[in-house]
Amino acid sequence: MKRVVVALGGNAILESDPTAVAQQKIVQETAESLANLLTDEMELVIVHGNGPQVGNLLLQQVQTESTENPAMPLDTCVAMTEGSIGYWLVNALTNAFEQKKIKRNVAAIMTQVEVSPEDEGFAHPSKPIGPFLTEDKAQELMQTTDAVYMEDSGRGFRKVVPSPKPFAIKESQTIQMLIENGVVTVAGGGGGIPVIRSEGKLEGIEAVIDKDLAAEKLAELINADTLIILTGVANVFVDYNKPNQKALETVSISEIEHYIEEGQFAPGSMLPKVEAAVQFVKRNPANKAVITSLDNLEKAVKEGLGTIVVQKEQVSIR
């Protein structure tokens, strides 16, 4: 049975309207695409992002904070959005499966992802969360708060927070048991809840784990065959947003690592997607990693479109 992990971006759920109704409508469309992808022979795990949602939740927490109603820390906000988006996905997938007469159960599992307190990510915040802002607004906020804002892929400025790399997933064995029993599983939402081990106990820490790196770690731990990373474009580009931009199709590890060294991919945006794909294929030459858009998902799976990272020395650029 083919074991597939799909990483879905939080930006794909929240476009311009942050209401629950609007986000659930997009999630329903996403669920229908995933239902079209599912076959009887496939075991499917879905990892979703939460960047816009956790950023908006933090804003709400700060704006309503009082002695009686204190703001929740970042790790708890990650858990809250993991729960809400997980619920939306389970509900939407259940409805899509029933409509298509697919006999599969769906479950979402709260996921604790262990990171090192010594990770360099804590010293260099890089993970964008929250809404896109103008440069002027970002500069104003940086002057009045201790927050850090950075430009994100030509779309505006966003707050950035520490993003340590995952090295263990507490619930990985439970997730494996679910998928082995045919349950389509939503896990690692928002990259998972970041935890560190202190005096033999796990405790939450203020950070956001990149969901693509968390998806790769989970794919490794459950011995997945394929990692599909969904983003806003059908292909990874070099010289992105420039007149000479080029789309990568099938690309070798050595070629894409060369592009990484050139600084072709934005930190906190496309870079972790590329790094996750490379890491997954490096672990097993038989593994397949695909980076593409949700709209292109079916063509990527059935026709080999999108950016496919492989071990062999082959690269095609369109």
Side-chain angles (χ1 to χ4, degrees):
M1 182 171 287
K2 187 72 70 175
R3 186 167 292 179
V4 179
V5 174
V6 175
L8 173 69
N11 288 315
I13 300 170
L14 197 166
E15 293 180 342
S16 57
D17 186 345
T19 63
V21 171
Q23 292 186 74
Q24 284 177 283
K25 182 177 183 298
I26 297 172
V27 168
Q28 185 62 54
E29 296 168 357
T30 301
E32 290 170 4
S33 295
L34 292 170
N36 290 334
L37 177 71
L38 191 65
T39 66
D40 291 341
E41 294 76 30
M42 182 183 294
E43 296 174 340
L44 180 62
V45 178
I46 301 160
V47 177
H48 64 81
N50 71 342
Q53 294 82 2
V54 75
N56 286 348
L57 179 58
L58 282 170
L59 289 175
Q60 294 170 8
Q61 294 280 315
V62 170
Q63 290 171 358
T64 61
E65 185 174 18
S66 66
T67 304
E68 295 77 20
N69 184 30
M72 295 292 104
L74 181 53
D75 61 304
T76 299
C77 289
V78 170
M80 293 164 72
T81 52
E82 183 178 21
S84 60
I85 299 172
Y87 153 61
W88 293 341
L89 279 166
V90 168
N91 179 265
L93 286 165
T94 300
N95 289 336
F97 289 174
E98 289 181 355
Q99 184 179 24
K100 296 178 182 295
K101 302 188 184 306
I102 297 173
K103 295 183 179 180
R104 290 287 193 97
N105 290 321
V106 191
I109 182 166
M110 299 298 288
T111 313
Q112 299 175 92
V113 178
E114 194 169 351
V115 301
S116 168
E118 309 301 323
D119 191 290
E120 62 180 13
F122 288 107
H124 304 285
S126 64
K127 181 62 180 173
I129 64 172
F132 289 93
L133 305 175
T134 64
E135 183 174 4
D136 289 343
K137 183 61 177 178
Q139 290 291 345
E140 176 188 333
L141 289 171
M142 283 193 286
Q143 290 172 6
T144 56
T145 71
D146 59 358
V148 178
Y149 287 79
M150 294 177 62
E151 194 275 331
D152 183 5
S153 302
R155 294 175 291 176
F157 283 71
R158 298 173 74 192
K159 181 178 179 178
V160 290
V161 299
S163 184
K165 293 184 178 180
F167 70 82
I169 297 178
K170 179 63 177 174
E171 290 78 16
S172 61
Q173 291 184 347
T174 303
I175 294 165
Q176 181 147 326
M177 285 191 292
L178 286 169
I179 60 175
E180 286 174 351
N181 283 278
V183 179
V184 174
T185 306
V186 180
I193 304 160
V195 295
I196 60 171
R197 193 166 292 278
S198 176
E199 297 180 352
K201 296 181 180 179
L202 292 177
E203 59 181 45
I205 193 166
E206 291 258 322
V208 171
I209 300 167
D210 184 88
K211 69 98 178 38
D212 299 309
L213 297 179
E216 191 286 324
K217 177 56 66 175
L218 180 58
E220 170 200 342
L221 293 173
I222 65 172
N223 298 312
D225 305 289
T226 304
L227 173 63
I228 301 175
I229 299 174
L230 299 181
T231 184
V233 290
N235 292 76
V236 178
F237 288 83
V238 293
D239 297 318
Y240 184 63
N241 269 344
K242 297 179 180 178
N244 62 331
Q245 72 174 14
K246 297 177 183 178
L248 300 178
E249 295 179 346
T250 300
V251 58
S252 68
I253 288 176
S254 61
E255 186 77 18
I256 206 162
E257 286 184 329
H258 173 70
Y259 292 139
I260 291 173
E261 291 175 2
E262 288 185 341
Q264 287 281 356
F265 311 120
S269 183
M270 187 57 76
L271 179 59
K273 294 174 174 56
V274 171
E275 289 179 331
V278 168
Q279 189 167 315
F280 183 65
V281 176
K282 272 187 173 181
R283 294 187 190 282
N284 185 343
N287 286 348
K288 179 180 179 181
V290 182
I291 304 175
T292 192
S293 64
L294 179 64
D295 292 340
N296 198 53
L297 177 59
E298 193 166 352
K299 289 182 178 180
V301 173
K302 295 181 179 179
E303 301 175 27
L305 300 183
T307 296
I308 303 174
V309 180
V310 296
Q311 287 254 351
K312 61 185 178 181
E313 296 293 331
Q314 175 187 349
V315 62
S316 175
I317 302 180
R318 183 174 61 223

